[in-house]
Amino acid sequence: ICDPELPNKAMESRTDDIRNCIACNQGCIGRMGLGYRLGCIHNPAVGEEKELGIGTLEPAETPKKVIVVGAGPAGLEVARVATLRKHKVILFEKNDELGGQNIIAGKVAGRQEITGITRWLTSQLNKLELDIRLGIEADESLISEENPDAVVIAVGSKPREKPFPGEYSPPQVVSTVQILTGEAEAGERVLLIDLDGHHQATGTAELLADQGKKVHVITSSLFIGSALGPLQDLYLTRQRLAKKGVTFTPDIAVLEIQGTLPKDIIVKGLNVYSNEMIDFEPYDTVVLAAGNAADEALYMALKGKVGELFRVGDCVAPRKTDMAIIEGHRIGRML
Ligand SMILES: Cc1cc2nc3c(=O)[nH]c(=O)nc-3n(C[C@H](O)[C@H](O)[C@H](O)COP(=O)(O)OP(=O)(O)OC[C@H]3O[C@@H](n4cnc5c(N)ncnc54)[C@H](O)[C@@H]3O)c2cc1C
Ligand code: SF4
């Protein structure tokens, strides 16, 4: 599924070009279990072979100078496809590393394999002629100095800063990203609020349980892990969480969080079916998997000021890696 050219590449001793399956079960069996058609997180052509499959990529009629801002999965895929089509690409990334949020996603328990996507995209970019500028935060003036024909904004998204009403702040209330990057450390008793339903929430709960924390997860969904593929992912995740002592309360809408002092946090919830008010306490740390906000500032600042302007991936709307790669691929073909 992930690389139908695998046998040919192996025969030609191009093994490092093989887009290895990362065994994530997300885009193929996971998607099908959720009632969608077969796809692949890694290969945007799966299910779209006629339009995007082998032999369909044509060089651009007029090669352009293209600036891509952001080297998460969306920006890496735009840069790869645009360069293959003979555009002259400059890729800006403000971090010292390529990969965007997938670097953090790879720290989630059981999801290390997602970094394989960045590894493959990077290995392909290393074989192409493009200008990758790491450690540079592109802004309006830097971009206009380069005088590009086209600009693609792929700057991603960030955890929502204040997703619930109330007086609260780190280190009592932190995001999954702060936990995963080591920016924050959880206390012994953790309440994780899950509006994600995916690995970001369940995998962080598992990671904290592995560290010996006592973890309780609440969600407004019918069950924890509601966005996981039911055929394997959901079952295996729930089995591991149960064995590691993670407990759950579903059907809870969080109304408010209060707690600026250590050991003083109260999460006020409402059972969405019974309308019963429930106070969740006492916890040392509340961890939020409460969604992201798109980073729109640079796109809005450049609107109307550059020849061709596009945006792709999470900075359009925060979603997942598969959508970031599909959009990146399509924009790479449109340029
Ligand atoms: C903990 C966690 C777990 C996840 N788990 C999964 C999962 O299991 N499956 C899945 O499909 N998705 C998962 N995701 C979501 C997925 O990682 C994102 O949807 C995806 O990375 C979005 O890709 P992107 O390229 O649009 O943006 P990002 O990955 O956010 O990349 C944007 C890049 O732009 C750079 N940037 C920003 N501003 C500038 C600037 N001005 N100049 C230069 N560079 C800039 C940033 O440094 C970053 O590298 C997870 C995310 C997290 C945080
Ligand atoms: S979605 Fe994941 S498991 Fe499925 S084929 Fe693609 S890389 Fe492999």
Side-chain angles (χ1 to χ4, degrees), residues 4 23 134 148 297 323:
L134 286 175
M323 291 313 297

Side-chain angles (χ1 to χ4, degrees), residues 1-2 20-29 39-43:
I1 298 170
C2 191
N20 284 311
C21 171
I22 60 164
C24 65
N25 284 337
Q26 185 178 318
C28 49
I29 194 165
C40 173
I41 191 173
H42 207 348
N43 181 355

